[in-house]
Amino acid sequence: MGEPVLECDGLVRRFGDRVAVDDVSFRIDAGETYGLLGPNGSGKTTTISMVVGILSPNAGSVVVAGRPMTTSATEAKRLVGLVPQELALYEDLTARENLRFFGRLQGLGRGRLRARIDDVLETVGLVDRADDRVQEFSGGMKRRINIAIGLLHEPTLLVLDEPTVGVDPQSRNQILDSIHRLGGVGLSVLYTTHYMEEAERLCDRIGILDQGILIAEGTKAELVSRIGEHDTIVIRGDAPEFGDGDQADGDHSLLRRELSVIPGVRAVHGSLRGLEVSADRAGPVLGPVVNAVAAAGIPIAGIEVREPNLEAVFLELTGRALRD
């Protein structure tokens, strides 16, 4: 790997006697989307405030593309685009006027600014609303303009602090689509959220933050492997052949044995709703499992594949659900 776009080493931040961030270290490489996942109050916003130079750490360091970040580090700050939780917009101005205002603050010349405004409006899907006043926008549209402002000066690192808070599901999906496209064009992104599904959908790697401590880090697969979770294939039948009664233990014990010896299958369980087959990975064993059930003459009403998720990881690591 080359030089990281962001490197945080041993970050500590105290507010009086309270330690909000405790020895947090992580890095983000070029083109990578890194998620900080944790409940409200876990230290996510305090961490990114140190990353962008709003707060000084009590200990530790932040380096952006080889440049040390401090509260006065102008050169390092130019490399960062920040999209805060709170909207930073002038509602009596149009979307284009907001972008022009913030672009001039960022030092963009007129020609470059005009081109960048068109580019970021396209990125966030608001070209057709560019000349409407922001006060007429939905909450989700305002969030997207907020993202567009953070992109104007073509940052090396984009930092998004819970950008989907308080928006409707449709707008949330549009925001996530916009962010997903950014990773596709090589921009490095630091994304904080307390929504598991957002982290799973967007992030190449994830750091789980709890009470100011980074308790685990890795890809989704790496995090899930830490707790020994496996894929589950659920096969539902039209009749009670899969039940846990005498028939299941008798007539279909051979089927269960056949399924259990398929390479990659870890366990086979029967329930009133069907068979549950636990496997290292569902993909390679799905075909053989379905073929074996069909060969046994059991009518299949439905098949569902359940993958282990980050909710199970967080519960295992902290002893509580993410939003408790």
Side-chain angles (χ1 to χ4, degrees):
M1 293 184 294
E3 180 182 71
V5 169
L6 174 67
E7 189 163 22
C8 298
D9 183 24
L11 291 179
V12 176
R13 179 65 194 195
R14 303 182 186 90
F15 296 96
D17 294 332
R18 184 174 69 88
V19 180
V21 174
D22 189 1
D23 195 25
V24 167
S25 300
F26 62 94
R27 62 179 278 162
I28 301 177
D29 293 316
E32 183 178 33
T33 298
Y34 185 97
L36 273 181
L37 177 66
N40 292 329
S42 62
K44 300 189 302 296
T45 297
T46 301
T47 298
I48 67 170
S49 294
M50 291 186 284
V51 167
V52 302
I54 294 174
L55 285 176
S56 296
N58 296 117
S61 63
V62 176
V63 178
V64 179
R67 297 163 177 83
M69 175 64 79
T70 66
T71 55
S72 59
T74 304
E75 187 177 358
K77 288 183 178 181
R78 286 199 183 103
L79 301 175
V80 178
L82 172 63
V83 181
Q85 270 190 53
E86 300 299 325
L87 293 170
L89 298 167
Y90 290 99
E91 298 214 348
D92 55 339
L93 300 181
T94 68
R96 191 183 302 277
E97 288 168 342
N98 267 280
L99 290 165
R100 187 179 299 124
F101 173 78
F102 284 103
R104 294 304 295 270
L105 288 181
Q106 293 165 349
L108 299 181
R110 185 167 299 178
R112 183 186 175 206
L113 178 56
R114 187 181 303 114
R116 287 300 299 152
I117 288 174
D118 291 340
D119 288 344
V120 297
L121 284 169
E122 180 71 32
T123 298
V124 299
L126 287 173
V127 173
D128 59 335
R129 301 296 301 273
D131 297 310
D132 294 341
R133 292 180 185 273
V134 169
Q135 64 191 10
E136 301 169 7
F137 284 8
S138 67
M141 292 167 65
K142 292 176 183 177
R143 291 280 178 188
R144 282 189 276 161
I145 286 295
N146 230 29
I147 293 172
I149 291 170
L151 291 169
L152 266 177
H153 63 298
E154 297 183 277
T156 302
L157 173 69
L158 182 68
V159 179
L160 300 115
D161 190 10
E162 306 219 29
T164 64
V165 169
V167 302
D168 61 272
Q170 182 179 2
S171 295
R172 184 176 173 220
N173 195 56
Q174 291 170 328
I175 291 170
L176 296 179
D177 283 343
S178 296
I179 297 167
H180 181 71
R181 287 194 294 271
L182 298 176
V185 299
L187 181 65
S188 298
V189 178
L190 173 57
Y191 189 94
T192 77
T193 183
H194 61 271
Y195 295 114
M196 294 286 185
E197 62 273 21
E198 290 185 4
E200 292 182 335
R201 176 174 170 178
L202 293 176
C203 300
D204 301 301
R205 288 189 302 123
I206 298 158
I208 297 179
L209 201 60
D210 186 44
Q211 298 180 7
I213 300 171
L214 195 68
I215 59 175
E217 182 187 52
T219 65
K220 175 189 171 183
E222 289 168 345
L223 291 170
V224 167
S225 70
R226 290 185 53 165
I227 63 171
E229 289 283 320
H230 308 288
D231 291 352
T232 300
I233 302 168
V234 180
I235 301 179
R236 292 181 293 276
D238 285 329
E241 284 93 340
F242 294 141
D244 289 322
D246 293 338
Q247 187 178 11
D249 290 335
D251 295 347
H252 299 292
S253 58
L254 177 60
L255 171 61
R256 291 171 187 244
R257 287 197 296 272
E258 290 176 351
L259 293 175
S260 65
V261 298
I262 293 174
V265 169
R266 288 184 163 267
V268 181
H269 304 285
S271 71
L272 294 178
R273 57 186 174 180
L275 271 179
E276 293 190 358
V277 180
S278 176
D280 294 324
R281 290 172 50 237
V285 306
L286 182 58
V289 167
V290 171
N291 290 338
V293 173
I298 297 174
I300 298 175
I303 300 172
E304 177 186 358
V305 175
R306 299 174 184 163
E307 296 181 346
N309 58 31
L310 294 176
E311 187 75 49
V313 175
F314 192 85
L315 185 63
E316 175 73 17
L317 294 174
T318 68
R320 66 182 190 280
L322 180 62
R323 299 182 196 176
D324 284 353

